[in-house]
Amino acid sequence: MQAVRHVVCALSGGVDSAVAALLLRRRGYQVTGVFMKNWDSLDEHGVCTADKDCEDAYRVCQILDIPFHQVSYVKEYWNDVFSDFLNEYEKGRTPNPDIVCNKHIKFSCFFHYAVDNLGADAIATGHYARTSLEDEEVFEQKLVKKPEGLFRNRFEVRNAVKLLQAADSFKDQTFFLSQVSQDALRRTIFPLGGLTKEFVKKIAAENRLHHVLQKKESMGMCFIGKRNFEHFLLQYLQPRPGHFISIEDNKVLGTHKGWFLYTLGQRANIGGLREPWYVVEKDSVKGDVFVVRPAVFPDQGLRRPPAAVASWRLAPLFYPVPCVLTLNQDGTVWVTAVQAVRALATGQFAVFYKGDECLGSGKILRLGPSAYTLQKGQRRAGMATESPSDSPEDGPGLSPLL
């Protein structure tokens, strides 16, 4: 007789992970619930709701009659996620801590704890995603040694597990799972991958999980909570006052507390000005932030990134843009998009898809020129007296991004 499979399910205290654990029990598995504490709420005067979330997760385990464990990854989260988050912002980049957290905490620290300490045959989470493996195939997976030797071979994974988009396209979370390793992915079950959010709520309501139904949706970055984002960052980073400057006439419109607080394409709240202004460029040396009114440059946030086997997204709900990827010898990737992309910023993750498969992601290191930069160059070329052979080329060149 085959032994009952042991699945360790990450519980957040929310409805998605609760229903995931319930569905695993219905499949006949031995299920253990684990709550991860990643942020020390005591350091932030109780703003983060970790303690209440832990209580809710424990209550889920009581209702489902499964064992409950709590682990603390506060130190690991600070070192691997939050420190990176601060360093990226200080350099003027736009990080995504949720992607980094999944890579280093949930699908590394928690994964190894579940397998090595609790003897799990597989782990599970409440993410809306799917893989190319059925449950029994997941249980049969063994650790696969990474290829060595030739450069090309290091990027090849034999019998790779595919990360697939969820049936509920609006709730799909493959964007945030795009950095999860093959080792973790091949031993992970996503019970909610084929369900809609509304159906998940219905299951919770029919199975005495009303306490998690009443909670608001988590939007990530629990360390910020309901606080003002700018005020939060300035608790950890030194202010660097500078000016908001209009690109129309080089006029100073106001002051700010740090150029690193703003990302390209973001609306800038400039004191005393009612009409919207948007960030188009930043000067890290002088600390100035250059802004524009949408009516002046309607394409101010567009960038033509430095070719179509794939499409890419810069945020979970962004419409995918067709592109071509070129792998360089130094491990970076060139991305050529077939159309301009709005509000690109270094530090963001570009996530790549082929059909419903998430191919992975990379952090943007360099950008192609913005529409504003190109228009500025064209105006300068028009005023110049050099011969046509000395004028700028018509199109932007390729730039390595990832």
Side-chain angles (χ1 to χ4, degrees), residues 133-356:
L133 299 180
E134 299 294 336
D135 287 9
E136 281 306 314
E137 294 177 296
V138 172
F139 297 134
E140 295 171 359
Q141 296 301 310
K142 303 296 181 184
L143 181 65
V144 178
K145 188 177 181 181
K146 294 181 179 180
E148 297 178 355
L150 295 176
F151 169 83
R152 176 176 58 85
N153 292 337
R154 296 203 302 272
F155 288 86
E156 293 181 354
V157 178
R158 277 71 176 180
N159 301 318
V161 179
K162 295 180 180 180
L163 177 62
L164 305 174
Q165 291 180 293
D168 188 338
S169 59
F170 183 76
K171 291 297 297 181
D172 174 65
Q173 292 175 301
T174 54
F175 182 92
F176 300 107
L177 301 172
S178 58
Q179 285 277 308
V180 174
S181 71
Q182 278 283 308
D183 288 340
L185 200 60
R186 69 176 63 251
R187 298 184 69 176
T188 299
I189 298 173
F190 297 113
L192 308 187
L195 306 179
T196 64
K197 180 71 174 189
E198 288 306 311
F199 191 63
V200 168
K201 289 181 178 180
K202 184 175 183 291
I203 294 174
E206 294 173 348
N207 290 273
R208 300 183 297 133
L209 296 171
H210 302 284
H211 71 291
V212 294
L213 270 173
Q214 300 168 2
K215 301 181 69 172
K216 292 183 178 181
E217 290 283 324
S218 171
M219 299 304 292
M221 293 197 291
C222 76
F223 50 80
I224 295 177
K226 297 180 180 179
R227 288 168 290 186
N228 177 278
F229 185 72
E230 178 178 321
H231 294 168
F232 174 81
L233 276 182
L234 290 176
Q235 291 180 15
Y236 298 92
L237 302 178
Q238 288 293 327
R240 299 181 190 175
H243 297 100
F244 288 113
I245 299 178
S246 168
I247 63 171
E248 301 172 43
D249 51 16
N250 222 32
K251 179 181 178 181
V252 174
L253 303 175
T255 60
H256 59 76
K257 296 181 180 179
W259 64 275
F260 54 82
L261 297 170
Y262 300 90
T263 189
L264 301 182
Q266 174 184 345
R267 178 171 177 171
N269 294 318
I270 304 174
L273 300 180
R274 291 185 177 181
E275 62 181 332
W277 292 78
Y278 291 88
V279 177
V280 290
E281 297 291 345
K282 299 187 293 184
D283 188 332
S284 61
V285 177
K286 296 181 179 179
D288 293 330
V289 175
F290 295 91
V291 295
V292 69
R293 294 176 296 167
V296 178
F297 282 103
D299 294 333
Q300 50 80 24
L302 295 177
R303 284 187 176 271
R304 304 186 185 329
V309 297
S311 62
W312 71 331
R313 293 158 72 189
L314 291 162
L317 298 179
F318 271 28
Y319 191 83
V321 177
C323 68
V324 172
L325 310 180
T326 304
L327 181 63
N328 301 316
Q329 285 290 325
D330 62 358
T332 61
V333 175
W334 293 54
V335 181
T336 306
V338 301
Q339 64 192 65
V341 182
R342 184 176 297 278
L344 282 176
T346 56
Q348 289 177 320
F349 280 87
V351 182
F352 304 99
Y353 292 83
K354 186 176 183 180
D356 66 349

Side-chain angles (χ1 to χ4, degrees), residues 6-24 30-38 53-54 56-58 60-61 64 66-71 73 101-102 105-115 118 120 122-128 173 177 187-192 212:
H6 182 201
V7 181
V8 176
C9 184
L11 293 176
S12 65
V15 64
D16 293 331
S17 60
V19 172
L22 168 65
L23 295 177
L24 292 168
Q30 174 191 345
V31 182
T32 299
V34 175
F35 177 82
M36 288 172 274
K37 183 177 182 181
N38 299 331
D53 291 339
C54 184
D56 290 336
Y58 175 66
V60 168
C61 289
L64 300 182
I66 62 175
F68 172 79
H69 293 264
Q70 178 184 357
V71 290
Y73 296 127
C101 177
N102 280 326
I105 307 300
K106 295 177 183 176
F107 290 87
S108 181
C109 295
F110 166 67
F111 169 72
H112 289 293
Y113 169 77
V115 173
L118 300 181
I123 66 167
T125 71
H127 288 100
Y128 287 83
Q173 292 175 301
L177 301 172
R187 298 184 69 176
T188 299
I189 298 173
F190 297 113
L192 308 187
V212 294

Side-chain angles (χ1 to χ4, degrees), residues 91-108:
K91 295 174 182 176
R93 299 172 183 163
T94 305
N96 190 315
D98 295 324
I99 290 180
V100 179
C101 177
N102 280 326
K103 177 181 180 179
H104 291 293
I105 307 300
K106 295 177 183 176
F107 290 87
S108 181

